[in-house]
């Protein structure tokens, strides 16, 4: 029958253990069968530590080994006076430095590169989302502008006929019926097509702008500098005979036409200038009627496409910025006979001087003076 071992209890109540307790205050080692248990070295420390007690299971039988002594496991030290302050920050920095990723050579640089890469990725994602939302909120709109007829390409400045155009015409008719002296009425270039097909050429460079992107669009027209044609700006174009073979845009304005007589009209042969105030300047720009002047020369496909494409409208257009108008055009200057038409003055050094009192008198009856330009010839 096994005898139960009874361990004597200390006669004095246990006192709190302290790392500074003297050896005499500790319990004596209990000897069994005359064999002393392994000596346990006293552990002294000037810093607090945590203790972990190991207790045997109550249901586990005792073997022949001596009862377990206290075991101490030194845990993480408490900084300073044990209140969690002091040099704790330094300890955390040591822990970061001891990590393998940081401890390797170049660890800090790799960490910095990774952080910068993450920031760049985040910025790229934010910018992409913002741009996508903006495009979704403002979708690109394409105006369904009516296309020009097959002989012309639509300009990029708006629906046809918006663009910068060169209207190449010839002087067809000169009528001086409104004055008794035909030398006081002249039309540039003073040569009609009947006399010369090339010398009768006259070119008008005009710019057409669209004021609305929807159909029907409103268009205005303005001129460029021209020594023989009037200057105007922002004149409205009126669409006539829409969808008919004679469909055309038209405009007109009143000008004071100045003519330098082709011969002397005074007894002293003084230079003179005659004014036809209230002359009507009108133009009709056809959109279907073909042009026949100048006679088309053989062109390559690329040159033909370039010749039939109007140039974009520009506020500072130059002579080479204009594409040819691809259809028929008719331009006319017209004034009826009347008292005081024309009014002529002597000129000195280009300045007006005395009025010529016995100037040319108007012809009786209903008559008019005109200059007619166009770019097609009627079949004979």
């Amino acid at each position: 029958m096994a005898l139960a071992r009874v361990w004597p209890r200390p006669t004095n109540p246990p006192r709190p253990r302290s790392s500074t307790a003297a050896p005499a205050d500790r319990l004596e080692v209990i000897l069994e069968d005359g064999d002393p248990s392994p000596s346990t070295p006293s552990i002294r420390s000037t810093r607090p530590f945590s203790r972990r007690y190991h207790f045997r299971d109550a249901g586990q039988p005792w073997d022949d080994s001596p009862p377990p002594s206290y075991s101490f496991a030194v845990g993480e030290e408490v900084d300073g006076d044990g209140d969690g302050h002091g040099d704790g920050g330094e300890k955390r920095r040591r822990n970061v430095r001891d990590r393998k990723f940081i401890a390797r050579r170049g660890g800090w640089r790799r960490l910095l590169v990774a952080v910068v890469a993450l920031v760049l990725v985040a910025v790229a994602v934010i910018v992409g989302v913002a741009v996508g939302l903006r495009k979704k909120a403002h979708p690109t709109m394409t105006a369904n502008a009516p296309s020009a007829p097959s002989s012309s390409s639509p300009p990029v400045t708006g629906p046809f006929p918006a663009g910068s155009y060169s209207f190449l015409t010839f002087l067809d008719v000169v009528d001086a019926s409104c004055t008794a002296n035909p030398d006081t009425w002249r039309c540039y270039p003073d040569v009609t097509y009947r006399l010369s097909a090339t010398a009768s050429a006259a070119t008008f460079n005009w710019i057409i702008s669209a004021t609305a992107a929807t159909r029907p669009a409103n268009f205005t027209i303005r001129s460029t500098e021209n020594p023989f044609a009037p200057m105007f700006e922002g004149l409205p174009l009126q669409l006539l005979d829409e969808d008919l073979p004679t469909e055309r845009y038209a405009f007109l304005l009143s000008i004071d036409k100045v003519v330098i007589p082709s011969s002397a009209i005074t007894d002293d042969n003084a230079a003179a200038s005659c004014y036809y105030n209230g002359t009507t300047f009108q133009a009709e720009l056809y959109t279907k009627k073909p042009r026949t002047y100048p006679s088309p020369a053989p062109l390559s496909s690329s040159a033909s496409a370039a010749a039939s494409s109007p140039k974009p409208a520009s506020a500072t257009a130059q002579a080479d910025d204009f594409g040819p108008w691809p259809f028929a055009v008719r331009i006319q200057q017209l004034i009826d006979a009347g008292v005081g038409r024309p009014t002529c003055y002597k000129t000195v050094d280009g300045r007006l001087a005395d009025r010529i009192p016995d100037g040319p008198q108007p012809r009786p009856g209903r008559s008019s003076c005109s200059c007619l330009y166009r770019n097609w010839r009627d079949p004979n």
Side-chain angles (χ1 to χ4, degrees):
M1 179 176 180
L3 297 177
R5 299 187 181 120
V6 179
W7 303 95
R9 297 182 177 180
T11 58
N12 297 326
R15 291 180 298 174
R17 293 183 180 272
S18 173
S19 60
T20 59
D25 295 335
R26 303 181 183 273
L27 295 178
E28 297 292 338
V29 178
I30 302 175
L31 301 179
E32 183 180 9
D33 296 332
D35 296 331
S37 62
S39 60
T40 303
S42 60
I43 301 176
R44 295 177 178 270
S45 176
T46 59
R47 294 188 178 184
F49 52 84
S50 60
R51 301 172 179 176
R52 186 171 57 206
Y53 298 91
H54 298 273
F55 297 95
R56 184 183 298 275
D57 189 354
Q60 181 179 356
W62 294 99
D63 51 15
D64 295 336
S65 61
S69 59
Y70 294 112
S71 63
F72 303 90
V74 179
E76 295 183 358
E77 297 180 357
V78 180
D79 299 318
D81 298 332
D83 56 357
H85 302 284
D87 57 351
E90 179 63 27
K91 179 175 179 61
R92 284 191 294 271
R93 288 191 290 271
R94 287 200 304 270
N95 291 338
V96 173
R97 287 195 298 268
D98 292 340
R99 294 184 181 275
K100 293 182 178 181
F101 180 79
I102 305 301
R104 287 183 294 178
R105 178 176 296 179
W108 285 109
R109 289 194 295 271
R110 287 194 294 271
L111 179 60
L112 180 60
V113 170
V115 172
V116 172
L118 289 176
V119 171
L120 293 177
V121 170
V123 172
V125 170
I126 294 174
V127 172
V129 172
V131 172
L133 293 177
R134 183 176 301 174
K135 288 185 177 180
K136 185 176 180 180
H138 303 283
T140 302
M141 299 180 64
T142 302
N144 297 323
S147 60
S150 59
S151 59
S152 176
S153 301
V156 297
T157 53
F160 181 82
S164 300
Y165 297 97
S166 179
F167 298 85
L168 179 58
T169 66
F170 60 84
L171 178 60
D172 187 28
V173 175
V174 177
D175 187 357
S177 302
C178 69
T179 177
N181 187 350
D183 292 340
T184 61
W185 178 263
R186 298 175 63 183
C187 302
Y188 177 88
D190 295 326
V191 178
T192 61
Y193 182 87
R194 184 177 290 104
L195 298 177
S196 173
T198 56
S200 61
T203 303
F204 302 83
N205 292 327
W206 295 334
I207 300 173
I208 300 175
S209 303
T211 58
T214 58
R215 190 172 186 180
N218 296 322
F219 298 96
T220 60
I221 189 169
R222 59 186 174 91
S223 65
T224 59
E225 292 186 4
N226 194 316
F228 67 90
M231 296 292 294
F232 55 87
E233 184 172 357
L235 294 180
L237 288 177
Q238 182 181 5
L239 181 60
L240 304 176
D241 296 343
E242 185 175 4
D243 297 330
L244 297 178
T246 56
E247 179 184 86
R248 62 197 183 276
Y249 287 94
F251 72 94
L252 61 85
L253 70 153
S254 179
I255 64 173
D256 295 336
K257 181 178 174 67
V258 181
V259 176
I260 298 177
S262 57
S263 62
I265 61 173
T266 63
D267 295 337
D268 57 356
N269 296 327
S273 294
C274 296
Y275 287 80
Y276 291 84
N277 296 334
T279 300
T280 299
F281 182 93
Q282 58 188 16
E284 295 177 335
L285 316 178
Y286 290 85
T287 60
K288 301 181 185 299
K289 184 180 179 67
R291 62 180 173 91
T292 60
Y293 178 88
S295 299
L299 296 175
S300 63
S301 58
S302 59
S304 177
S308 62
S309 299
K311 303 299 179 65
S314 173
T316 59
Q318 302 297 323
D320 55 352
D321 292 335
F322 295 86
W325 179 257
F327 304 108
V329 59
R330 184 179 186 273
I331 302 170
Q332 186 178 28
Q333 300 178 22
L334 178 66
I335 186 172
D336 293 331
V339 178
R341 293 177 183 173
T343 303
C344 298
Y345 298 86
K346 292 182 179 181
T347 58
V348 177
D349 297 331
R351 294 175 297 178
L352 296 181
D354 298 333
R355 179 176 176 177
I356 302 176
D358 53 351
Q361 299 299 313
R363 286 187 177 180
R366 296 183 60 86
S367 56
S368 61
C369 293
S370 66
C371 302
L372 177 61
Y373 302 87
R374 59 179 179 171
N375 64 352
W376 83 92
R377 295 289 296 175
D378 294 326
N380 295 328

